Amino acid sequence: ARGTPTSLVNENLRAGSPQMKAVVAALEQRDVAGAFAALKERTITAEGGKGPEVAAMLFASRSPEQREATLLLTAGRAMRSAANLAVQSELRSYGELGKQRLAITVLDRVTITKEGARQVRAYQDGRVVEFASNLRVQGIARGERGVVTGADECRVRLLMGDGRTQIFEPHRLARNLSHDAVAVFEEKQIGIHERDRIRWTANDHERGLMNGMLARVEAIGKDGVTISTQHGELIDLKPGDTMLEKLDLAYAVNVHVAQGMTAQDGILLMSERESRLNTTRSFLVAATRIAGEATLILDNAGRIERGVTRNAGDKTSAHEIAVDRPDLAAKDSDETPLGRLDRIASALGFDLSKNDQVREERELKLERLLERDAPGRGDYDRDFDFSR
């Protein structure tokens, strides 16, 4: 707009087949229906929750070389886990994996933003919390880990490795850190075999093991597991090695993990059960990872297409809301917080006055908001929960 010399990147060079060129061309125009139409000839309907099994059979039926060039993509963690187990079962039936099975407990990372880490709702019972920063005021050291045993409005109870109970207050995490202060995981039981494909779910900089990188199980013995990295290096993981917890099967990957990847072929596994994750943006990322041919496996084509069309999956900033919704912007300096909250709620289609409990709770929170310049200001974020 200001005359700066500009080069426009407006041609997708990854898509090489007529099918993928048609898919990409449709998605560039936000034509979700056109993209689904371009995939129709290679769309398989698998009802009754059979999608992971169908995807696994299709994936495992390919040669080892073809599998290496094929991405099996899912939107959510549950579908990814189901697909991984199904592929593993298929490969075992083909005799391609070792007979010995090692059962391990791994930590499946829960994806949350830095701001999400400051909200109590991220810390559900049973989840594992690992600290990547020293929280001296809270008495927590970097590297410590605890299991969530309960929470109230602003505090989380953790059972630490040494058996003590630690109180953790997420809202006190710094907002301006350049890294994640905490990582939140869910425990998951998996079994691995020799020749299983795995990926790392955390970093070990000293050994060059990086989050998202693929590896393969080479041997399983009494003294631990031997892993070969993408670079051909052999790594021995002894019992108790923390990286034995930070791996997962990698036949299927989430769409957000696949950003930046390129594959010759792809299998897109979608389910109406993951409706919140079936977004235009997610579908765009999945489809544009593939250069050659894509196969779409779903359980309800109509609902999934409508869901992807309606749910853009875009993140909205406060600035964009102020520009796009001037009715939500501040009106004048005399407007009270209570009046503004009522006006915004009304603009968004909510009537806060209908429920007595909601009204009383709202007024109590606003009283605390109005006192934010008084002593106790540090409790402001905790007491006034905008998400409610």
Side-chain angles (χ1 to χ4, degrees):
R2 297 188 179 184
T4 302
T6 304
S7 295
L8 298 179
V9 181
N10 53 16
E11 182 181 358
N12 185 301
L13 299 180
R14 179 183 282 120
S17 67
Q19 178 209 39
M20 292 314 301
K21 286 182 178 180
V23 171
V24 169
L27 290 175
E28 285 177 349
Q29 301 300 319
R30 296 275 180 165
D31 180 9
V32 174
F36 273 86
L39 291 167
K40 187 173 182 179
E41 290 185 3
R42 296 181 66 89
T43 296
I44 300 172
T45 300
E47 298 177 347
K50 299 294 184 181
E53 296 176 20
V54 173
M57 288 188 288
L58 182 61
F59 182 84
S61 66
R62 302 183 173 210
S63 68
E65 294 75 22
Q66 289 174 323
R67 287 183 220 135
E68 291 297 325
T70 301
L71 271 178
L72 173 50
L73 294 171
T74 67
R77 294 161 56 230
M79 192 65 69
R80 179 198 70 205
S81 294
N84 273 326
L85 292 175
V87 172
Q88 186 187 59
S89 178
E90 285 290 315
L91 294 180
R92 285 188 64 200
S93 69
Y94 290 171
E96 294 193 27
L97 301 181
K99 293 183 179 181
Q100 183 177 354
R101 178 180 185 273
L102 176 65
I104 57 176
T105 300
V106 299
L107 299 179
D108 194 13
R109 185 159 186 164
V110 179
T111 303
I112 54 175
T113 63
K114 288 186 177 67
E115 183 59 30
R118 302 181 74 252
Q119 308 298 321
V120 169
R121 59 178 174 271
Y123 303 90
Q124 298 176 13
D125 285 2
R127 286 184 171 178
V128 177
V129 183
E130 192 171 83
F131 295 89
S133 294
N134 290 315
L135 306 180
R136 294 183 179 85
V137 176
Q138 300 196 52
I140 302 173
R142 178 180 179 180
E144 286 195 292
R145 177 194 294 180
V147 179
V148 178
T149 59
D152 56 27
E153 287 188 358
C154 62
R155 303 189 303 171
V156 177
R157 292 191 305 277
L158 300 174
L159 178 61
M160 308 302 283
D162 57 7
R164 63 187 168 86
T165 296
Q166 172 71 48
I167 299 301
F168 166 51
E169 296 179 277
H171 71 277
R172 298 175 70 180
L173 291 174
R175 297 176 184 269
N176 58 351
L177 289 179
S178 60
H179 63 280
D180 292 328
V182 300
V184 182
F185 304 90
E186 287 184 345
E187 289 188 338
K188 183 172 69 172
Q189 308 297 320
I190 67 169
I192 56 174
H193 304 258
E194 291 180 0
R195 296 186 293 280
D196 258 328
R197 185 201 293 179
I198 64 168
R199 66 179 178 88
W200 305 114
T201 58
N203 296 324
D204 184 330
H205 294 285
E206 292 185 3
R207 290 182 284 188
L209 309 180
M210 307 306 291
N211 184 17
M213 288 180 62
L214 300 179
R216 192 172 299 278
V217 179
E218 294 295 338
I220 298 175
K222 295 181 180 179
D223 296 329
V225 180
T226 300
I227 305 291
S228 62
T229 69
Q230 281 184 324
H231 307 298
E233 183 182 359
L234 295 180
I235 301 289
D236 291 323
L237 303 180
K238 305 295 184 183
D241 193 310
T242 57
M243 291 306 284
L244 274 175
E245 297 177 317
K246 305 295 179 60
L247 59 82
D248 199 358
L249 295 173
Y251 300 109
V253 297
N254 286 117
V255 170
H256 76 270
V257 173
Q259 294 192 57
M261 293 183 178
T262 298
Q264 177 60 31
D265 296 320
I267 300 171
L268 312 183
L269 177 58
M270 304 180 72
S271 172
E272 63 174 326
R273 298 178 183 179
E274 297 184 326
S275 58
R276 293 186 178 182
L277 301 175
N278 294 331
T279 68
T280 306
R281 182 173 293 276
S282 175
F283 186 62
L284 172 66
V285 171
T288 53
R289 300 308 91 200
I290 302 161
E293 299 294 336
T295 300
L296 178 61
I297 299 175
L298 37 69
D299 50 10
N300 189 317
R303 285 190 178 182
I304 290 174
E305 182 178 331
R306 288 192 296 272
V308 171
T309 302
R310 293 171 180 171
N311 188 358
D314 294 331
K315 294 181 179 179
T316 304
S317 70
H319 173 73
E320 289 169 327
I321 290 179
V323 171
D324 296 338
R325 294 295 303 270
D327 55 321
L328 303 187
K331 292 300 181 183
D332 54 61
S333 58
D334 294 330
E335 185 177 35
T336 65
L338 187 60
R340 187 176 183 217
L341 183 62
D342 280 331
R343 180 174 55 76
I344 291 175
S346 177
L348 296 176
F350 297 99
D351 183 357
L352 298 182
S353 65
K354 287 184 177 180
N355 183 289
D356 290 339
Q357 182 179 351
V358 169
R359 185 173 64 252
E360 291 174 4
E361 186 175 282
R362 174 201 59 175
E363 291 173 354
L364 175 61
K365 291 179 182 295
L366 282 166
E367 286 177 9
R368 291 172 177 169
L369 172 64
L370 292 170
E371 295 170 356
R372 65 185 182 276
D373 293 324
R377 180 175 178 175
D379 294 334
Y380 162 61
D381 283 337
R382 181 189 68 196
D383 292 338
F384 195 84
D385 184 357
F386 286 95
S387 67
R388 299 183 66 185

